[in-house]
Amino acid sequence: MTTMDEQPAAESRGAASSRLYSYDLAPTKREGRPWGAYNVFTLWANDAHSLGNYTFAIGLFAIGLNVWGILAAFALASAFLFVLLNLSGYMGHKTGVPFPVMSRIAFGVKGAQIPAAVRGLVAIAWFGIQTYLASAVLSTLLVAMFPAMQALENQSVLGLSLLGWITFLALWVIQVVIVSYGMHVIRQYMAIAAPTTLITMCGLAIWLFIEAGGSMSLSTSDPLTGGAMWLQILEGAALWVVIYGTFVLNFCDFTRSAKSRRSIVRGNLVGIPVNMLFFAVIVVVLSGAQFELNGRVITSPTDIVQTIPNMFLLAAASIALIVLTIAVNLLANFVAPIYTLVNLFPRQLNFRRAGLVSALIGLAILPWNLYNSPVVVNYFLGGLGALLGPLFGVIMADYWLLRRTRVNVPDLYTEDAQGEYHYRRGYNPKAVWAFVPSAAIAVVLALVPVFGAVSGFSWFIGALLGAVFYVVIGERQADARDVDGESMAVASE
């Protein structure tokens, strides 16, 4: 990782401003980009098989969807995600810039702080929560292996047991160390974690299927049928897209290092439709076999892991879940706030320092208290999540419909009033005007109980409204300049 002292001086890059340009914010050179189709695939191989995703998917079985309904929901969601992620990923590949810089195209060189801050806040909160969930798995494993450690569970500080503090801080440090070495180490970690996770979860499903006598239930005793079933399939698919709403928004943070568009498409094809349907098959086997075994509806893979009678298998499954959760955190909840912080303080922070600051904030918010508070999770994080759809709609409409993919990359780094993305004092009022009403509607639909029937579709509604509002009031950029950033680019990691 290049240090702050080693980064190229922004002032030597023509009109680039040191408040907008740094090594970590600079576009990447096209030559030598290392991310191929396998690396893109590992993003989804890790992220799809997270504890949170398994809990959500198993919940579909618990509320009455049968096996075929769950598969249909994931097939539909995969089709949507494949399209959305390719749209977002192409932007990163063409420009080579991270999400905060990409946001400058639509929102202006200063206005880009709005989408970057929203994305960063969501990510930091979930970084802490995911680390806490992984630490709970580690605590359970340690107590199973060393029963005397149960005594540490009976003493707590700031709402977390002493054993919880030990395991949380251990996993916190591991993640900080990995991030401190930059994106290339994150890429290498994912490449190892992905097959480990896939093999482990597949093995767990096979073991449970055998335990159930080679059979499984296709539904609970009270399955949904007719219109209620189809509504749940649609809502399940929509909520799955919402889960990836964060990733859809800042996928360019990764595809800026992609070798080609083809590698993005191939990686997404295997990683989204193929991998996610494989994930759905594992879910239905876990849920159906467990229900066949004892008539109990599980809520999480940890419910199964804790019942494994063999200590070696228990340890292997627990460690795999921890490795997986760290991978998900690095991808979805660490990279985004790092770039947000670097974008806010490019002179003071680089990738490594921003990673440490982000992790410290994730610790300071005491995430276990957030997770255990339905009000915070549903209203604060749910409200912030609802903002992501309108942001996506505005940014995509600006790039694909109004600009027709033409971007003047050097102007993304200039504070010159004549710069293409200076707009009005660095803010594009039309992007803000399109975002505010669509965001307000999305938040109301997501949080107000009377709209519960459509709350699961708030991301789509917000994205569509944001795009429509912006297309109506935005200016067509038929004469927009298309200039690459090779003159100010740095080597990709």
Side-chain angles (χ1 to χ4, degrees), residues 220-363:
T220 62
S221 55
D222 187 23
L224 294 172
T225 58
M229 179 189 72
W230 285 106
L231 179 61
Q232 190 56 62
I233 288 173
L234 292 175
E235 187 167 344
L239 288 172
W240 188 247
V241 175
V242 170
I243 289 173
Y244 281 84
T246 52
F247 235 141
V248 166
L249 200 59
N250 74 301
F251 189 33
C252 58
D253 287 341
F254 304 94
T255 58
R256 65 193 293 245
S257 298
K259 295 177 180 179
S260 64
R261 278 192 173 193
R262 184 182 179 188
S263 64
I264 296 172
V265 173
R266 290 172 61 197
N268 282 342
L269 181 62
V270 180
I272 303 297
V274 176
N275 174 58
M276 288 189 178
L277 283 175
F278 177 65
F279 164 82
V281 169
I282 292 177
V283 166
V284 298
V285 171
L286 290 176
S287 304
Q290 179 67 48
F291 193 79
E292 179 74 17
L293 191 63
N294 56 18
R296 186 167 69 94
V297 178
I298 59 172
T299 60
S300 168
T302 54
D303 294 343
I304 298 173
V305 170
Q306 292 171 2
T307 65
I308 297 176
N310 183 288
M311 183 58 68
F312 175 79
L313 294 177
L314 171 65
S318 298
I319 291 172
L321 289 176
I322 292 168
V323 168
L324 164 64
T325 304
I326 289 176
V328 172
N329 245 1
L330 293 173
L331 298 172
N333 303 320
F334 222 151
V335 172
I338 286 175
Y339 281 126
T340 296
L341 290 170
V342 171
N343 191 51
L344 284 170
F345 309 104
R347 293 172 173 175
Q348 293 80 24
L349 297 177
N350 61 5
F351 195 93
R352 179 179 297 175
R353 294 174 190 170
L356 179 58
V357 172
S358 177
L360 287 171
I361 297 173
L363 171 62

Side-chain angles (χ1 to χ4, degrees), residues 203-233:
L204 184 60
I206 292 172
W207 172 79
L208 192 61
F209 185 70
I210 294 173
E211 286 289 301
S215 63
M216 54 179 277
S217 297
L218 298 181
S219 69
T220 62
S221 55
D222 187 23
L224 294 172
T225 58
M229 179 189 72
W230 285 106
L231 179 61
Q232 190 56 62
I233 288 173

Side-chain angles (χ1 to χ4, degrees), residues 15-17 20-21 25-27 97 101 104 409-414 488:
S17 166
L20 298 174
Y21 179 93
L25 297 175
V97 302
V101 178
R104 296 172 189 173
V409 175
D411 269 19
L412 293 171
Y413 300 92
T414 180
M488 55 183 10

